[in-house]
Amino acid sequence: MASSIALPFEALFLCLACGYSSRWGASDGMNELIQTINRSLLVWVSRAIDLLPALLLAILVLVITRYGVKFVRRLIKASSERLIHNVSLQLLLVQVSAVAVWVVGILFACTLVFPSLRLGDLIGLLGLSSVAVGFAFQDIFKNFLAGILLLLNEPFRVRDQIIINGYEGTVESITLRSTQIRTYKDERIVIPNAIVFTSPVHVLTHYPSRRTDIAIGLDYNTPFPKARQVLTDALTNVDGVLASPAIEVDLVEFGDSAINLVVRYWTLPQKAQVRRVQSEAIVALKHACDAAGLNIPYPIRTIYLPQPQPTDNHQPASTR
């Protein structure tokens, strides 16, 4: 590349030199300089011509490597799906195999362009430059290693719903560089794996069921054993409420105008299921309380107005 860029400048210098010699007369020193430039140009052109087939072959190798990566990814994915049930481990094998094919292709292309450069020299060069490259690309390497650890340890899986750093959504993919989340508003969040690995992750769908709590207040005159049975029966008939674990109704505190209760039930852990069942459960609780005559009171405030005290308007007589 450097020789091809330098050729126009050498040719320009040669033209200037020729013009100078034709105008003022060529001296022996100038003729020697021109001959030296001519020999250098011929050497560079011959080297470029000799290097051109190897360069074209190296480009062809890189193109073949690109399509070979796609083939290897499909092959490893199909094989891992049959042999390995761990989805995260399948993703790791696919991505590592793609990186390995790229490394082999690039090294082979380098040996074609520079025949004197052996594979051992390339490995030694990589070893010497690893420190400098590590400092320059430390964030990339951190994300790379964190991605491998996430795929091996599997704290969450693809299609899990998680909360991390204030972002909540469904995990779409875990690559070697980042974790991609799809929010419930159909927004895509890309989080570097180094942040994911070092941050608390709230996995909402790790277990087969998920609990929801609904607070409700009933009048102080309510017979609470009856109330607990009414609320439990109301949720039993709601579609999506799991029979096990059992529904719980707890009295939690004395409120300003009611006894506060919390109704606890379990559903499937997916967000859409939780929200749908919660809406139906609130409607069912309200209908059950109305049918059983259980009063859900409005906030009540008792205001005391003290009676005004009589005042003595008698003015004492002034003394002289």
Side-chain angles (χ1 to χ4, degrees), residues 97-246:
S97 62
V99 173
V101 172
W102 269 116
V103 170
V104 171
I106 292 174
L107 292 178
F108 185 63
C110 290
T111 57
L112 290 177
V113 177
F114 307 103
S116 60
L117 190 63
R118 294 173 298 178
L119 182 60
D121 298 332
L122 288 175
I123 295 175
L125 180 61
L126 290 175
L128 292 175
S129 61
S130 60
V131 176
V133 173
F135 279 111
F137 300 98
Q138 56 180 333
D139 291 337
I140 295 177
F141 287 134
K142 282 198 305 184
N143 292 326
F144 182 83
L145 294 176
I148 293 177
L149 293 175
L150 286 174
L151 291 172
L152 289 177
N153 295 334
E154 203 176 19
F156 54 84
R157 303 178 180 180
V158 176
R159 292 184 294 275
D160 269 343
Q161 294 179 347
I162 66 173
I163 302 175
I164 177 171
N165 275 11
Y167 299 109
E168 181 177 356
T170 304
V171 178
E172 284 195 322
S173 65
I174 306 171
T175 66
L176 293 178
R177 190 190 70 85
S178 63
T179 298
Q180 300 172 6
I181 298 175
R182 182 177 182 177
T183 68
Y184 306 128
K185 297 180 180 179
D186 278 344
E187 299 170 342
R188 191 180 193 185
I189 306 296
V190 180
I191 306 176
N193 284 331
I195 296 177
V196 177
F197 188 73
T198 57
S199 299
V201 180
H202 186 184
V203 184
L204 303 176
T205 54
H206 182 76
Y207 297 106
S209 61
R210 182 175 169 189
R211 195 185 77 185
T212 302
D213 298 350
I214 298 178
I216 183 173
L218 295 179
D219 186 83
Y220 272 91
N221 297 322
T222 302
F224 287 101
K226 173 185 176 182
R228 297 179 70 171
Q229 187 62 43
V230 168
L231 298 178
T232 301
D233 293 342
L235 290 185
T236 303
N237 299 322
V238 175
D239 182 30
V241 175
L242 301 180
S244 178

Side-chain angles (χ1 to χ4, degrees), residues 23-45:
R23 182 173 180 180
W24 302 101
S27 62
D28 293 339
M30 184 60 68
N31 288 332
E32 184 178 354
L33 176 61
I34 293 174
Q35 291 176 2
T36 302
I37 295 174
N38 283 330
R39 287 194 297 270
S40 299
L41 288 174
L42 290 175
V43 170
W44 288 336
V45 170

